[in-house]
Amino acid sequence: MNSQIRFLMCAPEHYDVDYVINPWMEGNIHKSSQDRAKEQWQNLYQILKSNAIVDLVKPEKGWPDMVFTANAGLVLGDNVVLSRFLHKERQGEEPYFKKWFEEKGYSVYELPKDLPFEGAGDALLDREGRWLWAGYGFRSELDSHPYLAKWLDIEVLSLRLIDERFYHLDTCFCPLANGYLLYYPGAFDSYSNRLIEMRVAPEKRIAIAEADAVNFACNTVNIDHIVVMNKASEILKARLGEAGFLVLETPLTEFLKAGGAAKCLTLRVTEPVQEDLHANIYVESRIIRLEGHLLDSGLINRALDLIIDKGGSFQVLNFDLGEQRQSTSSAEVRISAPHHDVMEEILSLLIDLGAVNLPEDERDAKLEPVILHGVAPDDFYVSTIYPTEVRINGEWIKVQNQRMDGAIAISQTSDGLLARCKVLRDLEVGERVVVDTQGIRTIRKPESREKRNTEEFSFMSAGVSSERRVELIVEQVAWELRKIRDAGGRVVVTAGPVVIHTGGGEHLSRLIREGYVQALLGGNAIAVHDMEQSMLGTSLGVDMKRGVSVRGGHRHHLKVINTVRRYGSIAKAVEAGVVKSGVMYECVKNNIPFSLAGSIRDDGPLPDTQMDLIKAQAEYAELIRGAEMILMFSSMLHSIGVGNMTPAGVKMVCVDINPAVVTKLSDRGSIESTGVVTDVGLFLSLLIQQLDKLTSPYRVKATK
Ligand code: ARG
């Protein structure tokens, strides 16, 4: 009997399952037996009474869950933080518990209204008193944790619960004597699991299986070497035995129907204070502002979901709903995260969505030097396709060479500071690189309401289109192509060999010949099969007129490669009259630059194929510069590569029969990119027809 330890319990006089506020209660309304509940509670009470002291609080009619005294509050020394229940079904218990604590002489701390915290159900002291584990995710709000640290003067470690069945920390987590921890890892997110592993040595961690977890094996009352629980498997009993614990099982099935067991039915009201330990809290908060068509573009949902998904929490402080159809709305959101690292991750994703820190919170970007050529400092900010600015010495500087997945390098030039996106390998010693997320903002064009609503005209609004809308998109692409060409603008095409296999070669050739294309990006294959078609009439050995394989056709492409190699380059083969038509022919004849990036599977390769991929990336980047529109035809790798190099604002149309490729591209989230799932040969032929209609409306030329 340990007379140092006291528990608070509440007899099940008025206990019942009256409502549903957790998954255990579902289907159990009024299904628990009063008599059995009383008997089970008595058994637990007797066990605890013979091992410690048990106080009782008077049960109140109309508050059936009051038996779960773990949720009365959190005690440490003479202080108690009173619970603020999330659900109104339990809020009425608060005054009764408050009265009990006050009568016993505790100093009672009360959280602000609307800041839920459910007491020792969600906050468990390390049994050595070294720190407090605090849960959030379902019942208690992350923002309550800093109050616990302050009022109880203790280090608080926040753990995020992610499995609804384990909605309170004490349903899946139980610190035991001698530094042991009984817990169910599946109930926590990966960040929390890492935190647990950092604090508790492997030999002290008793991780249980789901089968034990759903019997509430973690909902255990620990008195010295005794652990009292509803039920445990033989394996778990053995494991606890090895660690020096004696398991006392006492069935609490009637309380399981309400989502509680041994530990929930008790509150330890004697928790000694460790005088030499003090408050420490890792929870951080920041305020950001979001602007745009927040509701109808779904931006606000995306932002708030992202905060929760990544383990944070939020409070919308202001929401200014634009009143006119065309006006934008704005929201100020307070974000909390359990740790600096989590906050940084959330903020960098929010910055991608266009969020900005509030002016009061504006600080210069953090810079760190490059120490090793081609290597960024840890925590470097990863750039996106959106126009970005960084704040240095109080001024916002626009970042040059915007691209995705680069680092932002700052260098001093004679004209002042220069901020540029650079790929890692190009970082030079002496440059400084932006790290973390402070002092960075991206500028996003508001997604317009019309484009979202009238699906038909959602070219230029990110999305994937299926067959049904191909013709509409073709009309829009044709219109844009003509406009750009007539204004002397720049259109770049990336294309894979499928363009040739599907009979699109002649159409692409025409686009080039008629001045709609200013650069061509591809690989070895498109050039090979294009010239194979021109020289031998096949593409990958298939006769392009009859659609059947020709005998020995699989060797055709190698013959072509060999011939071109003999001439030294594609241009020379064209000049020599060996290649008389096709995509490559038109490029050479019309002085359209092209870049062919090599790959591990290339045969030959053609003399023009750039097998040094770093050089190939540079060639691509050079040809993309200044493009207003990029057409991507059936080439996953080249298209995605190009997507990464291209800043937002460039219209991109990705055509592929494979929806995965198209989705991948439109995942850039740029409002100017669109995807079309269709046969590329068909798309090109429709495009040519449409261009013909636009240029000579009364005479639809037959394509040759
Ligand atoms: N029905 C109660 C609720 O959902 C059960 C509380 C269990 N208590 C606990 N500390 N886990 O609030």
Side-chain angles (χ1 to χ4, degrees):
M1 160 94 179
N2 186 334
S3 56
Q4 308 290 305
I5 300 179
R6 283 184 107 88
F7 291 99
L8 175 65
M9 291 181 75
C10 176
E13 218 74 345
H14 306 294
Y15 169 70
D16 194 5
V17 181
D18 265 1
Y19 43 75
V20 176
I21 56 172
N22 68 50
W24 303 90
M25 300 174 100
E26 259 164 47
N28 273 327
I29 292 199
H30 306 314
K31 291 265 170 68
S32 78
S33 138
Q34 282 282 321
D35 294 343
R36 218 174 312 134
K38 283 185 183 150
E39 186 193 317
Q40 293 182 340
W41 186 90
Q42 267 301 329
N43 292 342
L44 175 68
Y45 177 60
Q46 293 308 331
I47 296 176
L48 297 186
K49 248 179 52 168
S50 52
N51 288 288
I53 297 173
V54 183
D55 289 331
L56 292 174
V57 56
K58 183 172 152 279
E60 298 290 341
K61 194 159 186 275
W63 304 105
D65 271 338
M66 204 173 154
V67 283
F68 298 114
T69 50
N71 300 117
L74 171 67
V75 175
L76 180 57
D78 302 330
N79 297 318
V80 58
V81 180
L82 201 68
S83 282
R84 280 230 180 267
F85 286 96
L86 174 71
H87 296 292
K88 62 172 183 339
E89 286 85 347
R90 295 199 63 182
Q91 287 167 356
E93 301 170 33
E94 292 168 14
Y96 300 113
F97 287 129
K98 181 177 176 188
K99 190 160 147 265
W100 188 88
F101 287 121
E102 280 173 349
E103 280 170 10
K104 294 286 167 185
Y106 288 91
S107 308
V108 179
Y109 290 91
E110 289 183 79
L111 288 155
K113 292 239 174 328
D114 303 323
L115 188 55
F117 167 65
E118 300 202 346
D122 260 336
L124 299 164
L125 284 153
D126 163 65
R127 286 266 56 90
E128 256 82 80
R130 295 168 295 181
W131 55 73
L132 178 74
W133 299 101
Y136 70 102
F138 294 107
R139 296 295 185 83
S140 299
E141 187 52 54
L142 181 60
D143 280 329
S144 65
H145 297 181
Y147 288 93
L148 306 180
K150 187 171 77 179
W151 290 336
L152 304 177
D153 193 20
I154 190 161
E155 177 175 24
V156 176
L157 302 174
S158 305
L159 298 176
R160 178 178 170 225
L161 299 166
I162 54 167
D163 183 332
E164 263 203 304
R165 297 171 300 172
F166 306 104
Y167 58 95
H168 274 145
L169 185 61
D170 69 358
T171 60
C172 52
F173 192 90
C174 185
L176 301 176
N178 298 324
Y180 283 98
L181 173 68
L182 180 65
Y183 76 121
Y184 173 55
F188 300 92
D189 73 358
S190 55
Y191 190 86
S192 305
N193 270 303
R194 249 187 297 144
L195 182 62
I196 295 169
E197 287 160 20
M198 270 160 57
R199 288 290 171 131
V200 184
E203 66 278 10
K204 295 281 181 181
R205 297 197 291 261
I206 307 176
I208 69 168
E210 190 176 3
D212 271 318
V214 294
N215 280 328
F216 271 63
C218 287
N219 200 250
T220 283
V221 183
N222 174 213
I223 305 168
D224 304 326
H225 74 291
I226 293 174
V227 285
V228 188
M229 63 178 77
N230 169 57
K231 194 175 156 70
S233 65
E234 291 309 317
I235 300 176
L236 177 57
K237 274 187 258 181
R239 175 78 185 85
L240 283 163
E242 267 166 49
F245 294 100
L246 174 67
V247 179
L248 301 183
E249 289 174 288
T250 184
L252 293 162
T253 50
E254 294 316 301
F255 298 97
L256 247 65
K257 294 176 184 166
K263 158 70 175 59
C264 302
L265 291 166
T266 67
L267 174 69
R268 191 159 160 155
V269 288
T270 45
E271 292 281 14
V273 181
Q274 292 261 7
E275 293 301 343
D276 47 338
L277 296 175
H278 295 290
N280 209 350
I281 180 82
Y282 307 95
V283 176
E284 284 191 7
S285 334
R286 293 279 282 276
I287 300 176
I288 53 124
R289 189 207 301 279
L290 274 168
E291 257 170 30
H293 294 291
L294 297 184
L295 283 183
D296 34 10
S297 71
L299 192 60
I300 190 81
N301 300 14
R302 255 181 289 155
L304 301 182
D305 285 352
L306 173 167
I307 297 171
I308 298 296
D309 282 353
K310 295 292 166 196
S313 180
F314 64 81
Q315 197 187 352
V316 178
L317 302 177
N318 277 310
F319 195 109
D320 204 348
L321 191 57
E323 275 158 27
Q324 305 295 325
R325 199 167 64 97
Q326 69 282 9
S327 49
T328 55
S329 40
S330 73
E332 280 172 24
V333 183
R334 200 180 107 95
I335 304 161
S336 304
H339 194 272
H340 180 71
D341 297 348
V342 178
M343 180 61 94
E344 285 298 318
E345 189 186 3
I346 292 175
L347 283 178
S348 70
L349 293 167
L350 287 173
I351 288 173
D352 297 352
L353 291 180
V356 291
N357 287 322
L358 279 193
E360 306 84 77
D361 205 18
E362 261 177 20
R363 287 169 285 177
D364 275 356
K366 277 209 241 164
L367 305 179
E368 273 178 32
V370 174
I371 295 174
L372 200 60
H373 175 88
V375 179
D378 281 348
D379 303 324
F380 72 96
Y381 171 79
V382 181
S383 65
T384 67
I385 57 172
Y386 303 103
T388 304
E389 295 181 341
V390 289
R391 191 174 186 271
I392 299 175
N393 304 331
E395 293 212 33
W396 287 101
I397 313 184
K398 184 164 167 39
V399 176
Q400 310 294 317
N401 295 355
Q402 193 63 49
R403 59 158 293 148
M404 202 163 138
D405 294 348
I408 300 179
I410 312 292
S411 50
Q412 185 74 49
T413 70
S414 47
D415 302 330
L417 284 178
L418 176 65
R420 270 180 305 174
C421 278
K422 281 186 143 191
V423 288
L424 295 180
R425 62 173 177 267
D426 290 339
L427 292 172
E428 282 158 35
V429 177
E431 285 177 324
R432 286 174 305 158
V433 164
V434 176
V435 296
D436 282 359
T437 55
Q438 115 193 2
I440 306 171
R441 64 186 187 197
T442 65
I443 291 134
R444 301 266 312 239
K445 263 204 249 167
E447 299 182 25
S448 102
R449 179 170 274 127
E450 281 68 24
K451 279 165 194 161
R452 286 268 154 195
N453 292 348
T454 52
E455 236 209 309
E456 308 309 329
F457 270 84
S458 62
F459 171 47
M460 315 305 164
S461 82
V464 175
S465 321
S466 52
E467 308 276 0
R468 187 169 70 74
R469 290 165 53 212
V470 170
E471 286 183 28
L472 280 157
I473 298 213
V474 163
E475 274 173 30
Q476 291 171 324
V477 173
W479 171 253
E480 291 284 333
L481 278 178
R482 206 185 77 132
K483 240 178 28 185
I484 296 173
R485 182 191 67 176
D486 295 352
R490 189 169 175 77
V491 173
V492 175
V493 169
T494 67
V498 175
V499 170
I500 310 299
H501 304 330
T502 57
E506 55 177 305
H507 308 306
L508 181 54
S509 301
R510 261 194 69 192
L511 286 181
I512 298 169
R513 188 161 64 240
E514 294 180 8
Y516 292 109
V517 179
Q518 279 62 50
L520 178 73
L521 309 176
N524 196 60
I526 176 159
V528 170
H529 296 297
D530 168 62
M531 292 185 290
E532 177 192 340
Q533 190 189 353
S534 147
M535 290 158 71
L536 304 166
T538 57
S539 181
L540 207 61
V542 175
D543 185 299
M544 291 305 288
K545 293 234 158 54
R546 294 180 297 131
V548 292
S549 301
V550 300
R551 195 190 314 209
H554 62 283
R555 288 192 215 105
H556 283 183
H557 76 283
L558 284 168
K559 302 236 166 103
V560 170
I561 293 171
N562 195 46
T563 306
V564 178
R565 288 183 69 85
R566 179 171 301 121
Y567 285 92
S569 73
I570 294 173
K572 285 190 185 132
V574 169
E575 273 151 32
V578 180
V579 178
K580 300 193 192 64
S581 64
V583 173
M584 300 320 295
Y585 170 87
E586 296 297 346
C587 283
V588 172
K589 285 291 177 196
N590 296 286
N591 280 321
I592 299 304
F594 58 85
S595 170
L596 307 176
S599 83
I600 191 82
R601 60 173 288 190
D602 287 342
D603 293 325
L606 289 168
D608 305 72
T609 300
Q610 179 53 268
M611 296 304 283
D612 179 337
L613 279 185
I614 291 186
K615 287 196 185 135
Q617 282 190 355
E619 284 177 23
Y620 265 46
E622 192 49 45
L623 290 176
I624 289 167
R625 200 184 302 274
E628 284 163 66
M629 175 140 112
I630 301 183
L631 302 176
M632 300 170 157
F633 295 139
S634 296
S635 169
M636 177 160 75
L637 281 182
H638 303 107
S639 301
I640 294 173
V642 166
N644 291 349
M645 298 178 193
T646 309
V650 179
K651 289 162 193 148
M652 290 194 339
V653 182
C654 174
V655 185
D656 205 298
I657 196 78
N658 178 356
V661 177
V662 162
T663 312
K664 178 105 185 139
L665 252 297
S666 50
D667 276 352
R668 300 177 9 123
S670 158
I671 56 174
E672 303 88 356
S673 37
T674 198
V676 193
V677 178
T678 190
D679 177 272
V680 69
L682 178 70
F683 182 92
L684 279 163
S685 103
L686 291 173
L687 184 60
I688 289 292
Q689 277 176 33
Q690 185 59 27
L691 282 167
D692 281 340
K693 258 196 244 169
L694 283 179
T695 32
S696 45
Y698 303 107
R699 184 170 53 90
V700 176
K701 259 195 291 182
T703 51
K704 64 167 184 179

